[in-house]
Amino acid sequence: MALCTPLLRGPFTAWSDSILVEGCLPGATVIVTAHGPSVRTVAKGIAGGGSDRLPLLAGEKLQATDRLVVLQTLGVEASIETPSHLASLVAPAPTNHDALAPLAFRSHVYPCGRALWVSGAAPGALVTVKTATAVIASGRANESGDARLTLSPGALIPINGKATAWQQAPAGFPALLGTPKETTCSVDKLPAPHGAKLPVPVLTAPARGCDRSVHLGGIIDGADVTISRTSDGTSETAIFDLDRLRFDLTKPLASAGDKLEVVQQLKGCDRWEASDPLVVHVEPSKKPGTPALLPPCDDAVDVFAANLEPGAIVTLTFAAEQYRAMVPEGTTTFVFRMTRLNAGSTITIVQEKCGLKSDTATVQPVAMGGGVYFPPDVEEPLYACARAVRVRARPGTWVQIFGDVGAGAGPISDQVFIRGSERIYVAPYLVKDQSVWVIALRCGADRWKRNPNTHIVQGVPEHLLAPIIVDPLIEGARSVLVEGVPGAFIQIFSLLPSPTRVELIGEGVIDPIGKRVFLWRALTTKELVYAVQIVCGQTSRASALQVPTGGVRSFDLALPLKRMSNQSSSMKPLTCLWANFVCRHDGSWNYTAELENEETEADVSFDLQFNLVGVSSPFGAVFKGQLSASGNGAITKTGLRAIGVPPKKTFSDSAVFAGFQNPAYWAEVYAATGKFSFPPNGVAWKNYAPPPEAPDEDPDKDEKKPGSGK
């Protein structure tokens, strides 16, 4: 039995002081080797499993052009080392502040908070935060450019103060030329009055036995969060530097389920009381779902899988050899690195958690398809301080973003496995006039190629405009389409009445193609929604306020609708007593009506039409029905009544119309009127009257009559 080769998560610079490794089994020995001017081990440790951060060994530094590889061993099991063509290249360290963009505060900066999240730095940079009187936190940025900082002992974020952040070369490296770019933000007002209890935390994803983490929201940035277990009486605490995070546990939840209590507290001062506990009922563990596999290419070494359970042990079988790995926390997809694959063979995958195994999935590698090959490229435009770019490529391609980092060219993104068009995050953020390009490893190939297109980063307008919420907002929607500066960080807010309060309900990065920001909850019709964008330390004005449109529209027949009979002297009608048409933004609709045939001498068949009036694209629905004659006349013995059709009936129908899911069209629907009608030829009567009798034959019809001529 073998182990999958772990994945290294970059990008790396010569400043990097730690290495994130994913896919290792718990207890495995992980060894990271640098191939450069010298071949040496730069990091080594015992894996906790799934996702492990290894500090560099004492005295070790990465060097520009080092190529990093990794392997894991567990007893007699071992992985192969990262193939040389998939090694991670180390970028040179920046040399000038001009080559770096301003940082951004990812956290809300609250008084008495004990942690801050600052983003946008060069990997490995030293990030420092100060107030007007003192430095309150400093630390190194990781491969994503994020500095997750705990405040220095005794440091305090003051009420009504400001916090300023900047990056610089870490100790032991040459200082950067030029002046640091500082980002300053005001300390936020805490969403609770002095002396009050903090809000009760919120569970943002179900908790189940054997989970190694708990997903929480509603946390004050910088608060201490404590989780207590009823099963064994233990508790553990972590400091949250964001309002919604994953609490990684020191041991998995009990497989049989448990009851947890979650409390938040601002330990930086005693101005606020701890929250009441959130009680979480942990469900027992269950059988994992079946993984879904993307067919790999012939000669590839990687297999992409989805529908995975975080923390599950995955076993892949190929050519009678088994390869094992652990899914990192916080993800349901992963790329498993094995050995070279060949078309026509079979790969199987199964995942196991808490001793429960999923059903097995299989896939066969495919030969590289023919046709025109379009080299992967970056979508334009690119703007300064962009946090991400958009790349289009054939599924199965590995891509990486490169750029001029001030001291030469180097990677500014991780190696990313593409499934089509993907958003790729960069570290550090882009800077004006920077050259950016993409390199790609075609599926099944063993040599990276550079796209010759070089893209130049544009400057951000001096006066940052408000973003635009593009589509009408709809009740129940969980995302918002926003037009703004590509690469900007968008925040979606809700203004709620009674009492008036502002709630952050979603945030995310947009790019030239992907402009949808996902929300943490569904929209309602009782709020005002707006967006802001954050670029280069600037926060724009708010967009225009929007009230979400209802997600359900109902149309009713105002007065009974009649069509008179032409089958008797009384001319009694077919009557639609009432009708209702309900449509929904999810595309579903229901049509219900009650009709009565008051005519006693004829059955009737009919079309009852409903049409939307005032929409750009026509929509209609129709009932086709039949009713027997009323009363107990002779026709009821021979007509529709004889086969069970009543003279009065409620009709109903339902279906799905995809057009309702379009927000712009739905806004038209919500403002439209509805029309119920019997079309001109939509009603037909039938009385089954016998044909008239033929007249008696005239026996004298051929005889001559007097005066009739010859």
Side-chain angles (χ1 to χ4, degrees):
M1 187 176 292
L3 302 179
C4 290
T5 302
L7 301 184
L8 297 174
R9 294 305 189 191
F12 303 99
T13 74
W15 284 348
S16 297
D17 67 337
S18 67
I19 296 174
L20 182 63
V21 185
E22 291 187 340
C24 299
L25 287 182
T29 299
V30 184
I31 302 172
V32 181
T33 303
H35 292 258
S38 62
V39 178
R40 64 205 188 279
T41 298
V42 293
K44 183 177 181 179
I46 304 300
S51 182
D52 296 279
R53 182 171 298 282
L54 304 179
L56 296 186
L57 296 176
E60 280 293 343
K61 291 182 180 179
L62 300 184
Q63 301 179 37
T65 71
D66 270 346
R67 303 183 70 83
L68 304 180
V69 296
V70 63
L71 60 80
Q72 63 170 323
T73 64
L74 182 62
V76 297
E77 298 177 89
S79 73
I80 61 171
E81 193 174 66
T82 307
S84 59
H85 64 284
L86 287 164
S88 296
L89 179 66
V90 176
T95 57
N96 196 309
H97 282 292
D98 289 342
L100 297 171
L103 303 178
F105 281 92
R106 186 75 174 81
S107 302
H108 288 274
V109 183
Y110 287 121
C112 301
R114 296 209 300 146
L116 294 169
W117 182 340
V118 181
S119 62
L126 178 65
V127 175
T128 304
V129 180
K130 69 176 183 179
T131 62
T133 57
V135 170
I136 59 173
S138 65
R140 302 287 283 273
N142 63 18
E143 64 286 337
S144 300
D146 296 323
R148 313 288 294 272
L149 308 175
T150 301
L151 265 60
S152 304
L156 184 68
I157 299 175
I159 297 174
N160 300 322
K162 293 181 182 295
T164 299
W166 70 93
Q167 64 180 314
Q168 62 193 47
F173 292 87
L176 297 180
L177 301 175
T179 303
K181 296 175 181 176
E182 296 185 342
T183 299
T184 299
C185 76
S186 298
V187 175
D188 289 282
K189 180 181 177 181
L190 202 72
H194 284 187
K197 291 183 177 181
L198 296 180
V200 177
V202 176
L203 187 70
T204 59
R208 190 170 291 279
C210 288
D211 285 354
R212 294 159 57 98
S213 61
V214 178
H215 294 258
L216 298 170
I219 306 298
I220 304 300
D221 304 34
D224 286 66
V225 178
T226 300
I227 294 182
S228 302
R229 309 187 193 210
T230 301
S231 60
D232 59 10
T234 61
S235 63
E236 49 190 303
T237 299
I239 304 176
F240 273 40
D241 51 17
L242 204 63
D243 59 343
R244 300 171 69 88
L245 283 176
R246 187 184 74 239
F247 190 122
D248 289 334
L249 302 167
T250 55
K251 62 179 180 179
L253 296 173
S255 61
D258 205 342
K259 186 174 81 170
L260 311 177
E261 289 192 353
V262 185
V263 174
Q264 65 169 320
Q265 182 178 6
L266 280 171
K267 293 186 176 179
C269 61
D270 57 2
R271 293 175 177 266
W272 292 274
E273 293 186 28
S275 70
D276 289 329
L278 165 71
V279 177
V280 178
H281 294 282
V282 178
E283 296 294 322
S285 59
K286 67 174 185 177
K287 178 181 176 179
T290 306
L293 292 171
L294 182 71
C297 296
D298 187 24
D299 279 338
V301 296
D302 297 312
V303 177
F304 176 87
N307 197 35
L308 300 174
E309 288 277 346
I313 302 295
V314 172
T315 302
L316 298 104
T317 304
F318 171 74
E321 184 73 68
Q322 290 186 330
Y323 299 83
R324 297 196 299 148
M326 183 179 223
V327 181
E329 288 298 311
T331 186
T332 58
T333 64
F334 196 66
V335 177
F336 297 97
R337 184 156 291 163
M338 302 164 56
T339 187
R340 283 201 179 271
L341 309 170
N342 53 281
S345 57
T346 299
I347 301 166
T348 66
I349 183 173
V350 65
Q351 60 179 330
E352 180 179 352
K353 191 171 182 179
C354 247
L356 301 172
K357 291 186 178 182
S358 71
D359 291 335
T360 300
T362 63
V363 72
Q364 289 188 331
V366 295
M368 279 295 296
V372 179
Y373 174 68
F374 297 96
D377 203 0
V378 175
E379 298 283 356
E380 290 190 324
L382 303 180
Y383 282 95
C385 300
R387 305 180 184 207
V389 300
R390 171 69 59 165
V391 171
R392 48 182 168 78
R394 179 179 290 183
T397 304
W398 283 95
V399 301
Q400 191 167 31
I401 308 302
F402 268 60
D404 180 359
V405 295
I412 57 173
S413 82
D414 192 13
Q415 295 177 2
V416 178
F417 184 89
I418 295 288
R419 287 171 283 162
S421 176
E422 299 269 350
R423 177 180 297 152
I424 298 179
Y425 292 88
V426 295
Y429 295 160
L430 302 186
V431 66
K432 184 176 181 293
D433 296 328
Q434 182 179 16
S435 298
V436 174
W437 61 94
V438 63
I439 68 169
L441 181 69
R442 190 175 180 181
C443 189
D446 57 9
R447 186 167 64 90
W448 293 77
K449 292 185 178 180
R450 172 180 170 169
N451 188 311
N453 294 337
T454 298
H455 306 269
I456 305 300
V457 178
Q458 304 178 34
V460 175
E462 183 177 353
H463 300 290
L464 186 61
L465 299 178
I468 298 171
I469 296 178
V470 178
D471 282 343
L473 302 182
I474 312 297
E475 177 188 24
R478 301 189 72 98
S479 66
V480 175
L481 193 64
V482 179
E483 188 74 54
V485 176
F489 188 69
I490 305 294
Q491 292 184 316
I492 310 295
F493 291 92
S494 166
L495 181 61
L496 298 159
S498 303
T500 301
R501 61 188 177 91
V502 175
E503 178 188 356
L504 178 65
I505 59 174
E507 58 189 16
V509 175
I510 61 172
D511 60 57
I513 303 299
K515 302 178 181 181
R516 190 162 296 280
V517 179
F518 291 92
L519 308 178
W520 302 324
R521 64 164 174 80
L523 295 176
T524 74
T525 58
K526 298 180 180 180
E527 59 189 338
L528 295 168
V529 178
Y530 64 92
V532 300
Q533 60 180 330
I534 302 171
V535 183
C536 289
Q538 299 182 68
T539 300
S540 73
R541 294 181 295 104
S543 67
L545 294 169
Q546 286 198 30
V547 178
T549 300
V552 180
R553 183 74 164 93
S554 180
F555 301 88
D556 291 289
L557 178 66
L559 295 171
L561 187 65
K562 297 178 181 287
R563 176 66 64 87
M564 307 310 294
S565 164
N566 58 6
Q567 298 297 307
S568 67
S569 58
S570 60
M571 296 182 62
K572 293 185 178 180
L574 166 67
T575 303
C576 178
L577 301 171
W578 59 267
N580 171 251
F581 186 88
V582 178
C583 50
R584 302 172 185 83
H585 180 47
D586 65 6
S588 64
W589 59 259
N590 297 90
Y591 188 9
T592 310
E594 185 178 40
L595 291 95
E596 181 178 14
N597 180 12
E598 299 180 42
E599 175 60 70
T600 60
E601 299 182 24
D603 295 340
V604 66
S605 60
F606 63 87
D607 292 348
L608 179 62
Q609 182 78 35
F610 171 80
N611 291 98
L612 287 175
V613 179
V615 292
S616 57
S617 179
F619 172 83
V622 62
F623 276 137
K624 292 183 177 292
Q626 292 181 317
L627 292 172
S628 67
S630 293
N632 296 304
I635 191 174
T636 64
K637 307 297 189 293
T638 58
L640 292 176
R641 185 83 65 83
I643 58 174
V645 178
K648 182 179 180 181
K649 182 180 176 181
T650 298
F651 296 84
S652 63
D653 193 13
S654 63
V656 172
F657 175 58
F660 292 151
Q661 298 172 3
N662 182 304
Y665 186 71
W666 180 256
E668 296 178 8
V669 172
Y670 212 76
T673 57
K675 180 182 178 181
F676 297 90
S677 65
F678 294 122
N681 297 317
V683 177
W685 302 91
K686 189 170 185 179
N687 62 11
Y688 307 99
E693 294 182 5
D696 293 337
E697 292 289 337
D698 182 357
D700 300 324
K701 64 180 180 180
D702 293 329
E703 295 182 5
K704 290 185 180 180
K705 296 182 179 180
S708 62
K710 296 193 281 187

